[in-house]
Amino acid sequence: MASGESGHLKSASHAARIETPHSNRADLYNLRRMLPYLWTYRGRVLIALSCLIVAKVATVGVPLVLKRIVDALDTPGQQALALPLALLLAYGGLRMTTSLFNELRDSLFARVRFGAMHGLSHQVLEHLHVLSLSYHLERRTGQITRDLERGARSVANIVNNMVFSILPTIAEFALVAVILLSQYAAQFTLVTFAAVFVYIIFTFSVTNWRMHHRHEMNALDSQANSQAIDSLLNYETVKYFNNEQHEIERYHETLKQWEDAAVNSATTMSMLNFGQGAIVACGVTAIMILAAQGVSSGEMSLGDLVLVNAMMLQLFMPLNTLGIMYRQLRYSLADMDLVYQLLDTPPQIQDSPAAQELRVVRPHVRFTDVEFCYEANRPTLKDISFEIQPGQKVAVVGPSGAGKSTLARLLFRFYDINNGAILIDGQDISACTQDSLRRCIGIVPQDTVLFNDTILYNILYARPEASRAEVEHAARLADIHDFICSLPAGYDSVVGERGLKLSGGEKQRMAIARVILKQASIVVFDEATSSLDSRSEGAILQALGKLAKSTTTLVIAHRLSTIVDADSILVMEHGRIVERGRHAELLIKKGLYSHLWALQQEERTIEKITESRQY
């Protein structure tokens, strides 16, 4: 590759803007949107919270028992020896109770956590399938999959943090505060509250300050993942242009930026951790000084010193966890915000509230004064009017960019038209449900994309309830049954990602078999034989001829030889129908169709001469 071209590609890659989530995200709103996931398992949640309360009461009871043990051991006399044994057993029992009820809580809440992940993932995928074609033409698959993965994980993190960390910490703090206020001087409570207050303010402030590093990491992570997946999906294109190094360098550059953001994030986290540790150390030291003075003056026992120390450490341990949980909660909310932005993206094409099921008795299609444009001030179709009577075959031809394939997209209602109407059996498709509309239409697209599954699965995809015999019958009509049987695994052969293990012609015949199996009343062939050789094309045309007798057919064709038998041929140019009629009538007119026919006949003659010379 020339250096100038390489530089241009690199600059285009660097120009990609990394969008950081808005700092004023509706976090509380997003948290409220999680409540339905928890409400589904409300019984489990209540039992788990009960276990949590029992565990925390037992946890706070441990220092109290420890104080009595120390005081008992500090008491002179042999008669006290029996008492510590009972307290020691109580001490062990409390610790066992804490462990038991914590594990019960975790076990009960597992269903809630994973159920929430399941629910959100299901909702997002369902929404992605609802979104219109225009959204999917602009999306970046790798970025969406990474955002979906992080978003689903964020639900589990938030649920865990709220129920297992934040609520228990609040409960434990309240219990410790009650004990300190009721049994000790106010100065102990003041020092404790001051340390906790400084700790929380410091944690929240520093965490908010360093959040932009996490946002930048997320954006760069999604961008790198998208670049990697794009390069692999377009593996052949990369090879055609010797651009392996360009793809690797582009990926490397994004990962380098991600690495810098990750290092900044880790460094600032270390600063936060040190600051938290310093506040805890100062608070515990101040409390221990006060307690030691109390013991020295005789106002407090040795057990009181142990109790206050244990309480402080016990309080700051969950507070330290609370700092970590708060950071994770903010990260999870940032991840979840991306998913909810996706869920809040409205479909461009929506059924009206009064939409009715499309009922097709006689599959009659009519376009009336249809106008459409993909972008404002750039009309794609203008004044398109034609009809296809039940059982008729209407073909659309014309040069590239004339708007032929757009007709099929509008018939499927992937887009709404700007003016005019499209009617099926007298019903405006914009007033019908999209599901019922697409059930009655089958299509063989120009670019056939298959699932990375078996041949049987891909053909059966048109009508999953069909029998094996029906699948094989459709394959025979599509002239692909013999090829499938010649494979070692037959119909159980896996076609590879996007059908890469099959040739273009084999994929196209698979698509034809699929539409035959669907048994739709209206069939659209969008360049359905463009990847076939002459022999296969003849066999397919014969099969399509049989299929067309029982269906209303719209054929978008490049090869004019495939539509000479059409009941009507529409010739399009610059988004308009410039000619219409049967094959013979259009040849007599000596217009655009006649010119295209002459060019293709000349090409076929050259191909035949070339083939004869090869033999």
Side-chain angles (χ1 to χ4, degrees):
M1 177 180 291
S3 60
E5 292 173 335
S6 177
H8 176 72
L9 284 174
K10 287 182 179 179
S11 64
S13 175
H14 292 170
R17 184 170 58 92
I18 297 173
E19 295 186 1
T20 300
H22 197 275
S23 58
N24 295 321
R25 297 181 315 276
D27 290 340
L28 291 177
Y29 175 64
N30 288 341
L31 288 173
R32 286 199 299 270
R33 295 174 73 170
M34 284 181 52
L35 292 180
Y37 302 121
L38 299 180
W39 184 252
T40 303
Y41 303 97
R42 53 191 177 276
R44 282 179 174 269
V45 172
L46 289 174
I47 298 174
L49 289 177
S50 300
C51 292
L52 182 154
I53 293 172
V54 173
K56 282 304 167 187
V57 170
T59 299
V60 173
V62 168
L64 294 173
V65 174
L66 186 61
K67 166 189 165 5
R68 297 190 62 185
I69 291 173
V70 172
D71 286 341
L73 292 174
D74 193 42
T75 302
Q78 297 296 321
Q79 70 275 13
L81 291 178
L83 184 60
L85 179 61
L87 289 172
L88 288 169
L89 291 175
Y91 178 87
L94 287 173
R95 287 204 170 274
M96 187 179 296
T97 299
T98 299
S99 177
L100 172 63
F101 281 90
N102 278 335
E103 295 305 321
L104 282 174
R105 176 201 63 185
D106 292 353
S107 178
L108 287 167
F109 217 79
R111 177 70 64 180
V112 181
R113 180 170 71 252
F114 295 118
M117 293 178 67
H118 173 192
L120 181 64
S121 298
H122 178 274
Q123 185 181 1
V124 171
L125 185 61
E126 183 178 40
H127 185 71
L128 282 169
H129 281 291
V130 169
L131 290 176
S132 307
L133 178 65
S134 57
Y135 174 85
H136 289 279
L137 292 177
E138 296 175 1
R139 68 176 165 84
R140 300 178 70 88
T141 304
Q143 184 169 333
I144 286 182
T145 55
R146 185 56 62 92
D147 290 345
L148 174 58
E149 175 189 346
R150 284 203 307 258
R153 196 168 56 237
S154 71
V155 173
N157 290 339
I158 291 172
V159 170
N160 278 356
N161 292 343
M162 292 292 291
V163 177
F164 292 165
S165 299
I166 297 177
L167 292 179
T169 300
I170 293 173
E172 190 165 353
F173 179 76
L175 290 171
V176 170
V178 168
I179 293 171
L180 290 176
L181 282 171
S182 62
Q183 297 189 20
Y184 300 101
Q187 56 188 350
F188 286 93
T189 304
L190 290 175
V191 171
T192 302
F193 274 54
V196 169
F197 178 76
V198 172
Y199 183 97
I200 292 175
I201 294 300
F202 175 79
T203 299
F204 285 10
S205 300
V206 175
T207 300
N208 290 333
W209 165 71
R210 58 181 298 275
M211 274 301 292
H212 72 279
H213 294 302
R214 179 70 179 194
H215 292 157
E216 188 177 8
M217 282 178 60
N218 283 353
L220 289 165
D221 180 53
S222 295
Q223 181 175 319
N225 192 59
S226 178
Q227 289 172 346
I229 289 181
D230 280 350
S231 67
L232 292 175
L233 289 177
N234 295 284
Y235 174 83
E236 291 182 77
T237 303
V238 173
K239 290 293 183 183
Y240 290 152
F241 293 96
N242 292 337
N243 269 339
E244 296 93 339
Q245 193 59 37
H246 163 68
E247 291 296 330
I248 293 171
E249 288 178 1
R250 189 167 68 124
Y251 185 60
H252 163 72
E253 185 61 32
T254 304
L255 283 183
K256 187 175 182 299
Q257 295 177 44
W258 171 84
E259 179 185 347
D260 292 339
V263 169
N264 290 333
S265 179
T267 303
T268 53
M269 180 177 287
S270 296
M271 293 170 53
L272 176 59
N273 290 338
F274 174 75
Q276 290 173 331
I279 294 171
V280 171
C282 292
V284 172
T285 301
I287 285 291
M288 290 301 293
I289 291 173
L290 292 175
Q293 289 175 346
V295 172
S296 299
S297 64
E299 296 176 0
M300 296 175 63
S301 68
L302 190 60
D304 288 322
L305 184 144
V306 172
L307 172 63
V308 171
N309 180 63
M311 284 288 186
M312 285 296 296
L313 292 177
Q314 193 162 292
L315 180 61
F316 275 108
M317 282 177 61
L319 273 179
N320 183 53
T321 305
L322 181 62
I324 297 172
M325 292 304 106
Y326 175 71
R327 294 196 298 270
Q328 292 182 353
L329 182 63
R330 293 301 305 269
Y331 299 158
S332 297
L333 285 169
D335 293 338
M336 178 179 283
D337 192 60
L338 296 174
V339 175
Y340 279 130
Q341 285 179 26
L342 173 60
L343 288 173
D344 290 337
T345 302
Q348 185 179 4
I349 308 302
Q350 301 186 44
D351 293 337
S352 66
Q356 301 291 321
E357 292 280 311
L358 177 63
R359 302 187 181 279
V360 180
V361 179
R362 301 179 72 250
H364 174 268
V365 178
R366 172 179 291 172
F367 279 62
T368 304
D369 301 324
V370 170
E371 294 186 359
F372 173 73
C373 60
Y374 289 106
E375 299 177 5
N377 303 320
R378 292 185 60 186
T380 304
L381 297 178
K382 293 167 283 188
D383 301 323
I384 301 296
S385 296
F386 67 91
E387 60 182 309
I388 313 174
Q389 296 292 340
Q392 276 193 340
K393 174 182 177 180
V394 171
V396 182
V397 301
S400 298
K404 305 185 297 296
S405 294
T406 300
L407 295 177
R409 289 181 169 183
L410 295 181
L411 185 61
F412 265 86
R413 206 182 164 209
F414 286 151
Y415 299 92
D416 276 333
I417 58 178
N418 301 112
N419 288 301
I422 302 175
L423 308 176
I424 295 179
D425 209 357
Q427 303 159 79
D428 192 326
I429 65 171
S430 64
C432 301
T433 63
Q434 297 173 69
D435 181 67
S436 63
L437 167 67
R438 291 163 191 165
R439 277 201 307 266
C440 75
I441 305 175
I443 187 168
V444 179
Q446 183 175 3
D447 180 21
T448 301
V449 178
L450 303 176
F451 293 96
N452 189 7
D453 211 305
T454 64
I455 290 175
L456 178 63
Y457 176 86
N458 276 283
I459 298 178
L460 204 58
Y461 197 79
R463 191 157 54 90
E465 70 278 8
S467 66
R468 176 67 174 256
E470 289 176 304
V471 171
E472 292 183 3
H473 176 68
R476 286 191 180 93
L477 288 178
D479 192 35
I480 197 173
H481 176 73
D482 292 341
F483 162 75
I484 296 172
C485 292
S486 70
L487 299 173
Y491 279 85
D492 293 323
S493 302
V494 176
V495 302
E497 191 165 6
R498 298 172 65 87
L500 289 177
K501 292 183 180 180
L502 302 179
S503 68
E506 289 159 356
K507 287 196 293 184
Q508 212 146 43
R509 282 180 283 173
M510 288 267 291
I512 293 170
R514 197 155 56 183
V515 80
I516 291 173
L517 185 65
K518 185 176 182 180
Q519 299 177 348
S521 54
I522 300 170
V523 177
V524 178
F525 295 101
D526 188 358
E527 307 281 8
T529 61
S530 61
S531 297
L532 302 179
D533 54 34
S534 299
R535 189 199 68 80
S536 297
E537 182 183 39
I540 293 297
L541 288 176
Q542 186 177 1
L544 296 184
K546 295 177 182 177
L547 181 63
K549 291 180 180 178
S550 58
T551 61
T552 297
T553 309
L554 175 65
V555 180
I556 299 166
H558 172 71
R559 295 184 183 178
L560 303 187
S561 58
T562 63
I563 48 93
V564 293
D565 63 335
D567 296 292
S568 178
I569 300 173
L570 309 176
V571 184
M572 293 187 65
E573 186 177 32
H574 303 309
R576 296 180 181 274
I577 299 176
V578 296
E579 297 177 27
R580 68 179 74 205
R582 289 180 175 271
H583 173 69
E585 296 169 353
L586 293 172
L587 288 179
I588 294 172
K589 290 183 179 179
K590 300 294 183 182
L592 178 59
Y593 182 85
S594 177
H595 175 67
L596 294 174
W597 175 264
L599 288 176
Q600 291 194 9
Q601 291 301 108
E602 184 177 336
E603 290 174 359
R604 288 176 68 103
T605 301
I606 294 173
E607 287 176 4
K608 288 180 180 179
I609 294 173
T610 303
E611 290 176 0
S612 65
R613 287 178 177 175
Q614 290 176 347
Y615 294 100

